[in-house]
């Protein structure tokens, strides 16, 4: 982990805007947002509903195009990439954790975790080794062949965190990752994020309404009416 890597932002957005068209009216969702995310940071993005938090997360994850502004990741202008190149970059750079977990309920934990590795072209032996390693770290090895639909809410979210780590991303984007969890399971998930940041140098960006979640983070940013407050 060299000094230059630590100093330079993994993500740098400048003057980011997003407008939605409603007939002849443009509805602003993000207004000239400037944001840097560095290696090892845990950044909480807070603000009232409708302030643009999830929109910002989708843009950072290259799942939504901004109306204007610039977005550099690892020093690369990712908005200039074609859709296929963006998809390839997203697969290796970003891991997603959503409030709803989005596990495939009819599949086992192993099958859910294997899917992103299959898409990435990872061999069967390497897939199994990676899955076993991450499940052990998450204290989920005993659930490896358990149907996803039979997991508790906390176990489902922990499995979703493991799935986000499958392709070894540099950045984890989490949208209300503890929103459906009790306090204890929420703490377990946030502590796992802390380990990802402190021990592995990943950056975590978590959208949340919960001040207890924000307390785990190294920095809190507030969005209000699409404007990022300092």
């Amino acid at each position: 982990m060299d000094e230059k890597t630590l100093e330079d932002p993994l993500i740098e957005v400048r003057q980011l805007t997003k407008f939605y068209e409603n007939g002849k009216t443009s509805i602003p969702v993000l207004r000239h947002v400037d944001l840097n995310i560095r290696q090892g940071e845990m950044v909480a993005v807070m603000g009232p509903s409708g302030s643009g938090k999830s929109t910002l997360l989708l843009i950072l994850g290259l799942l939504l195009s901004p109306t204007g502004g610039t977005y550099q990741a690892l020093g690369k202008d990712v908005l200039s990439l074609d859709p296929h190149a963006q998809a390839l970059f997203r697969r290796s750079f970003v891991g997603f954790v959503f409030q709803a977990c989005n596990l495939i309920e009819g599949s086992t934990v192993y099958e859910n975790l294997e899917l992103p590795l299959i898409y990435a072209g990872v061999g069967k032996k390497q897939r199994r080794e990676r899955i076993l390693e991450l499940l052990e770290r998450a204290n989920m090895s005993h659930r490896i062949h358990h149907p996803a639909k039979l997991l508790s809410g906390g176990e489902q979210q922990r499995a979703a965190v493991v799935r986000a780590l499958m392709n070894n991303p540099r950045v984890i984007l989490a949208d209300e990752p503890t929103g459906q969890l009790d306090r204890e399971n929420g703490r377990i998930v946030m502590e796992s994020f802390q380990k990802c940041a402190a021990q592995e140098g990943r950056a975590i960006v978590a959208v949340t309404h919960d001040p207890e979640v924000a307390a785990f983070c190294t920095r809190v940013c507030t969005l209000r009416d699409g404007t990022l407050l300092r």
Side-chain angles (χ1 to χ4, degrees):
M1 201 184 293
D2 58 54
E3 187 175 350
K4 182 176 185 299
T5 303
L6 287 171
E7 290 180 350
D8 292 350
L10 294 177
I11 287 176
E12 184 176 8
V13 299
R14 291 289 177 268
Q15 296 297 294
L16 205 65
T17 61
K18 181 63 180 179
F19 291 80
Y20 289 109
E21 301 298 326
N22 184 11
K24 295 182 179 180
T25 305
S26 290
I27 301 172
V29 180
L30 293 177
R31 305 170 187 259
H32 309 292
V33 170
D34 292 340
L35 180 64
N36 286 353
I37 306 293
R38 289 184 166 79
Q39 180 173 304
E41 275 196 304
M42 285 185 65
V43 179
V45 181
M46 303 189 74
S49 296
S51 61
K53 302 186 303 298
S54 293
T55 297
L56 175 60
L57 210 66
L58 290 173
I59 292 173
L60 294 181
L62 296 174
L63 294 175
L64 183 67
S65 297
T67 304
T70 64
Y71 176 11
Q72 290 198 330
L74 298 176
K76 178 181 298 190
D77 178 7
V78 293
L79 297 181
S80 68
L81 300 176
D82 63 47
H84 178 66
Q86 280 193 355
L88 291 176
F89 186 82
R90 179 174 59 243
R91 187 173 69 194
S92 62
F93 183 67
V94 177
F96 294 95
V97 180
F98 298 107
Q99 180 177 348
C101 299
N102 295 332
L103 297 176
I104 303 170
E105 291 190 350
S107 299
T108 66
V109 170
Y110 187 92
E111 290 165 342
N112 270 274
L113 301 182
E114 187 179 34
L115 200 57
L117 297 177
I118 291 174
Y119 284 140
V122 177
K124 186 174 182 178
K125 181 175 183 292
Q126 289 74 24
R127 294 199 302 264
R128 181 170 179 79
E129 289 173 352
R130 178 73 173 157
I131 291 168
L132 290 176
E133 174 195 352
L134 291 182
L135 281 177
E136 183 174 350
R137 283 166 47 186
N139 295 321
M140 287 280 290
S141 298
H142 62 297
R143 294 301 197 199
I144 185 169
H145 297 303
H146 209 66
K149 64 183 178 182
L150 297 182
L151 296 174
S152 69
E155 288 173 335
Q156 286 187 15
Q157 194 63 296
R158 284 156 62 195
V161 172
V162 172
R163 183 184 56 190
L165 294 171
M166 277 294 117
N167 286 330
N168 198 28
R170 302 291 296 274
V171 176
I172 296 176
L173 303 177
D175 195 352
E176 298 287 1
T178 65
Q180 298 189 46
L181 302 180
D182 59 33
R183 189 173 185 180
E184 176 61 17
N185 279 304
R187 180 187 62 78
I188 291 171
V189 167
M190 292 310 298
E191 286 180 349
S192 71
F193 284 154
Q194 282 186 322
K195 289 179 182 178
C196 288
Q199 299 177 11
E200 301 165 16
R202 303 183 203 278
I204 316 292
V205 183
V207 161
T208 183
H209 287 93
D210 188 347
E212 291 191 12
V213 170
F216 281 90
C217 297
T218 55
R219 181 156 56 104
V220 177
C221 299
T222 301
L223 270 172
R224 193 174 301 279
D225 296 328
T227 300
L228 191 66
L229 307 178
R230 300 294 176 181

